[in-house]
Amino acid sequence: HDQVAMPYQWEYPYLLSILPSLLGLFSFPRNNISYLVLSMISTGLFSVAPLIYGAMEMFPMAQQLYRHGKAYRFIFGFSAVSVMYLVVVVAAQVHGWQLYYSKKLLDSWFTSTQEKKKK
C-alpha cells in the first residue's frame, strides 16, 4: 500500500484559512465593516503567517536540494520542496490580493457610511 508523508507543521494552522473567506462572505449582505475587518485580521493570522513560517521551515530542505542535489520527498516526480515553494508563492499572491482588495472595499464602505452620517 502507499505511504503518505506527514504534513508540515505549518499546514495545520493554514487549514484555518477558510475562516477569513467565510467572514468576508458574511460581511457582504449588509456591508458589515466589522466582519470585513475580522476577515482581514484573520487573513494575516491564518493565511499569511503560516505561509511565512512554512517558507522558513522548508528552507533547510531547499538549501540541501540546491547545494547537494539531494531530495527525499517527491510529488509527481518533482522534488517536494520545489513544488511546495511554488504553492506557497501562488498562495501568498492570492492572499496578498485578497488583503489589497479587502482594504479597498473597507475604504469604500467607510467613506459611504461617513457620508450617510453627515446627511
Side-chain angles (χ1 to χ4, degrees):
H1 64 241
D2 293 334
Q3 291 182 347
V4 178
M6 290 292 296
Y8 293 107
Q9 291 297 313
W10 63 271
E11 291 175 345
Y12 294 116
Y14 187 72
L15 289 174
L16 294 174
S17 67
I18 190 72
L19 182 66
S21 300
L22 293 176
L23 287 171
L25 285 174
F26 292 149
S27 71
F28 289 144
R30 295 185 185 227
N31 296 356
N32 194 331
I33 292 176
S34 59
Y35 277 147
L36 188 61
V37 169
L38 283 174
S39 171
M40 292 171 67
I41 292 169
S42 59
T43 296
L45 289 174
F46 300 128
S47 302
V48 177
L51 290 175
I52 293 170
Y53 179 77
M56 291 187 305
E57 184 183 26
M58 292 185 305
F59 186 74
M61 290 172 278
Q63 204 172 23
Q64 181 180 9
L65 173 67
Y66 293 114
R67 282 190 181 170
H68 306 291
K70 294 181 183 176
Y72 298 105
R73 291 182 179 178
F74 293 93
I75 298 174
F76 301 119
F78 298 101
S79 67
V81 72
S82 299
V83 173
M84 291 302 287
Y85 266 111
L86 180 67
V87 169
V88 165
V89 166
V90 170
Q93 289 175 347
V94 167
H95 293 303
W97 283 109
Q98 177 186 2
L99 284 173
Y100 174 77
Y101 284 114
S102 293
K103 176 69 171 113
K104 290 286 191 186
L105 186 61
L106 180 67
D107 291 343
S108 172
W109 284 355
F110 188 73
T111 55
S112 70
T113 56
Q114 292 300 319
E115 289 172 2
K116 286 179 184 177
K117 286 181 181 179
K118 288 180 183 178
K119 293 179 181 179

